[in-house]
Amino acid sequence: MTSCDQSTPPTILALGSPHGDDQAAWYVIERLQADREFAGRCFRIASPWDVVPHLQAGGRVMIIDACQSGAAPGTLHRHVSPESAAADGGFPSSHVGSLREALQLSRSLGYDLSGVEICGIEVQATEPGAPVTPAVRRAAEALASELREEWHRT
């Protein structure tokens, strides 16, 4: 995570939709919400623009989203800053607007993004109403476990 206050878990923003693997981020927070420390800190959102109000206060924020970079389904891409995600090409999104645009707006509004980390889960199938594929489900479970372990180590 970043150098922000490590004494509390990050706010986790899970960007997704009910379309196949695009549910991956939502699946991560479903696993985390069972942990008291993360209760009330996990938000299921459907538009990149929904990220903006959560960034106003600053602090540690992890944004999780599905991505399609050409890597194998289930590959995790963690970026410790919006800049490192942008340098890596960002995450092509299936949502109206883009996460990059929402972060640019936040920065132009003067929000401190130094505590923002972005995690992409490589997806394969995003058909409406389809379930999450096994590789993406395993990656989402692994990310939830990783985040839980990171928090409990601090």
Side-chain angles (χ1 to χ4, degrees):
M1 297 306 248
T2 65
S3 60
C4 290
D5 178 18
Q6 299 288 320
S7 64
T8 59
T11 296
I12 299 180
L13 305 177
L15 183 57
S17 75
H19 306 302
D21 287 344
D22 200 34
Q23 300 171 76
W26 293 354
Y27 191 81
V28 172
I29 63 167
E30 285 173 13
R31 299 299 169 266
L32 290 174
Q33 287 175 327
D35 217 339
R36 269 196 347 241
E37 289 89 355
F38 285 98
R41 303 193 67 78
C42 297
F43 299 91
R44 183 176 164 157
I45 59 177
S47 165
W49 301 113
D50 294 338
V51 166
V52 177
H54 291 279
L55 300 177
Q56 186 173 6
R60 294 174 62 208
V61 176
M62 174 177 268
I63 302 167
I64 306 171
D65 193 10
C67 67
Q68 291 182 309
S69 70
T75 300
L76 294 176
H77 305 273
R78 284 187 74 172
H79 297 277
V80 295
S81 71
E83 292 76 21
S84 70
D88 193 32
F91 300 119
S93 180
S94 60
H95 306 279
V96 175
S98 74
L99 184 53
R100 178 181 291 164
E101 292 169 325
L103 293 169
Q104 287 172 341
L105 173 62
S106 298
R107 186 173 284 112
S108 71
L109 291 171
Y111 299 169
D112 178 10
L113 303 184
S114 64
V116 175
E117 181 175 349
I118 300 170
C119 184
I121 300 175
E122 193 76 27
V123 300
Q124 179 179 11
T126 56
E127 290 81 25
V132 176
T133 59
V136 172
R137 182 177 298 271
R138 285 190 300 273
E141 289 170 354
L143 180 58
S145 294
E146 188 177 308
L147 294 174
R148 194 175 289 113
E149 288 173 23
E150 284 177 15
W151 159 241
H152 288 292
R153 277 196 309 259
T154 60

